[in-house]
Amino acid sequence: MPEIPATSRRGLLLGTAAVSAGALLTACTSNEPSNSKSGDTAANNAPAADDRPGKPLTIGFAGPQADHGWLNAINENAKERAKKYSEVTLEITEGSNDTAAQIGQIQTLINKKVDVLVILPADGKALTQVGLQAMKAGIPVINLDRVFASPQAYRCWIGGDNYGMGLNAGRYIGEQLKDKPDAKVVELAGMDNLELTKQRTQGFDDALKNYPNIKKVARQAADFTVESGQAKMAQLLQAQKQFDALWNHDDDQGVGALRAIQQAARSDFLMVGGAGAKSAMDAIKADSGVLKATVLYPPTMAASAIDLARALGQGKGVGGLAELEIPASITLYSAVVTKENVDEYLPTGFS
């Protein structure tokens, strides 16, 4: 995977509040032949991007059970974004981490003949067949984050960049420690049976290769929960009496990690979180503890998915692009939130 140029601001982040305000995905042009004058193009004659209502449509939304702060934020972003459009009806399922149950929920939406489906699968591989079923039924699918095993199962994929998340966490830590001889870092990862965890670790390790003075001396895998974060962080602290930086993959488990750090009365290192929880951003802004940054995995991607579904269902393109169709894939940028830019990103923080 190619490296992503680092930016300090929101420029490349397609899942920010600016997107949710309609800056990115709106009416671009129709597919009707143009009566343009000589030398004009369809893009030149396209109407200005706006949020004016188009034809009525129903968007089906199916996600996993909201048993994690980020997943709950996914659902809330989808609901709130749909409310913005008077012509959009959102059919949202209860959500389940049981693949058979989620397949059943999606089949119900297919039988209701919704116009477009937005699916965040509990397991992308396991739900590929139901994505194919929807596409064969003439219902285009927006595949959100966890990717299906076949590109034939979706019209457009939108999601986060797990490798880029690790890469930018490593770059931030590297820049903070680049002048410190024999610097040591530790990693509190997520669930090791998930591909996303492996990608985040790979990005982090690749970034650290650019800083020969820095060595990763320990890694523990947690379970994306407060309890696991506290327990695994306590083990790291017990085993590593001195280190200079910690990267924690997930801000939910980071709540537990911070508890363990406080209980151990440790303040001799800096911490970088992951995902973009409001609690993490509040701590970064206060600047009274070890947490100095978090790397975004923005749940506002669900709002953007609703925008994409609306554009697709109404035969529109993407505002700001010349193409007549929505893209086949959109990878969001993993911005680093620090004290210097936290006010920009606070509105996107999830509880």
Side-chain angles (χ1 to χ4, degrees):
M1 182 179 299
E3 291 191 354
I4 304 167
T7 65
S8 61
R9 311 294 280 183
R10 70 171 67 192
L12 296 178
L13 180 64
L14 296 184
T16 60
V19 169
S20 296
L24 175 64
L25 301 164
T26 47
C28 179
T29 184
S30 72
N31 292 325
E32 295 298 321
S34 171
N35 294 320
S36 62
K37 298 177 182 178
S38 176
D40 284 347
T41 64
N44 290 337
N45 286 280
D50 60 46
D51 293 334
R52 288 176 295 183
K55 70 177 183 181
L57 77 159
T58 300
I59 298 173
F61 183 89
Q65 183 179 346
D67 55 0
H68 181 279
W70 186 86
L71 289 171
N72 182 65
I74 283 284
N75 290 342
E76 292 305 311
N77 271 274
K79 292 176 185 176
E80 291 304 311
R81 189 60 175 161
K83 290 177 183 177
K84 179 180 176 64
Y85 303 118
S86 60
E87 80 277 23
V88 170
T89 299
L90 187 67
E91 287 270 357
I92 190 165
T93 66
E94 183 177 345
S96 175
N97 290 328
D98 179 84
T99 55
Q102 193 179 21
I103 288 170
Q105 292 169 346
I106 295 168
Q107 288 173 332
T108 296
L109 293 173
I110 294 172
N111 292 335
K112 287 183 176 181
K113 294 181 169 60
V114 298
D115 296 293
V116 188
L117 267 170
V118 176
I119 303 174
L120 198 165
D123 183 318
K125 184 177 180 180
L127 269 77
T128 298
Q129 287 302 315
V130 79
L132 289 166
Q133 181 182 340
M135 293 288 286
K136 289 176 182 177
I139 301 173
V141 174
I142 305 295
N143 181 193
L144 182 57
D145 198 46
R146 300 171 189 170
V147 68
F148 290 132
S150 169
Q152 296 185 69
Y154 59 89
R155 165 58 181 81
C156 173
W157 175 85
I158 179 170
D161 184 357
N162 287 293
Y163 177 87
M165 193 177 176
L167 190 71
N168 285 347
R171 283 174 169 170
Y172 175 82
I173 288 173
E175 287 302 302
Q176 306 310 304
L177 301 179
K178 64 183 179 181
D179 296 323
K180 184 177 179 60
D182 301 319
K184 299 176 182 178
V185 300
V186 299
E187 181 181 8
L188 184 63
M191 299 171 69
D192 265 343
N193 64 324
L194 298 179
E195 184 63 25
L196 66 89
T197 299
K198 299 173 186 176
Q199 292 170 350
R200 291 179 186 184
T201 290
Q202 186 63 57
F204 186 62
D205 289 346
D206 285 352
L208 292 182
K209 291 175 184 177
N210 296 311
Y211 303 94
N213 63 306
I214 301 174
K215 181 180 179 180
K216 186 168 76 172
V217 295
R219 181 184 183 276
Q220 279 277 9
D223 297 324
F224 291 134
T225 66
V226 174
E227 294 75 19
S228 68
Q230 184 169 355
K232 297 298 185 179
M233 191 68 230
Q235 292 176 21
L236 275 174
L237 292 168
Q238 181 65 29
Q240 302 296 323
K241 299 303 182 183
Q242 187 279 321
F243 56 89
D244 302 291
L246 157 72
W247 183 46
N248 161 54
H249 284 207
D250 176 72
D251 286 334
D252 270 26
Q253 70 185 27
V255 173
L258 285 169
R259 287 178 185 171
I261 292 165
Q262 291 167 354
Q263 288 172 357
R266 294 282 294 271
S267 60
D268 53 316
F269 57 89
L270 68 91
M271 174 178 173
V272 176
K278 185 178 183 300
S279 61
M281 293 192 197
D282 287 339
I284 291 165
K285 185 170 182 176
D287 196 23
S288 58
V290 297
L291 186 58
K292 301 301 180 184
T294 187
V295 185
L296 295 188
Y297 200 82
T300 45
M301 66 177 70
S304 297
I306 296 299
D307 283 330
L308 286 163
R310 174 178 178 260
L312 189 57
Q314 294 177 346
K316 300 174 180 178
V318 176
L321 297 181
E323 286 71 27
L324 301 178
E325 301 286 346
I326 69 169
S329 65
I330 298 176
T331 302
L332 307 188
Y333 184 70
S334 296
V336 179
V337 178
T338 65
K339 186 179 180 181
E340 286 70 32
N341 62 6
V342 66
D343 286 334
E344 283 191 79
Y345 293 104
L346 264 173
T348 72
F350 58 90
S351 301

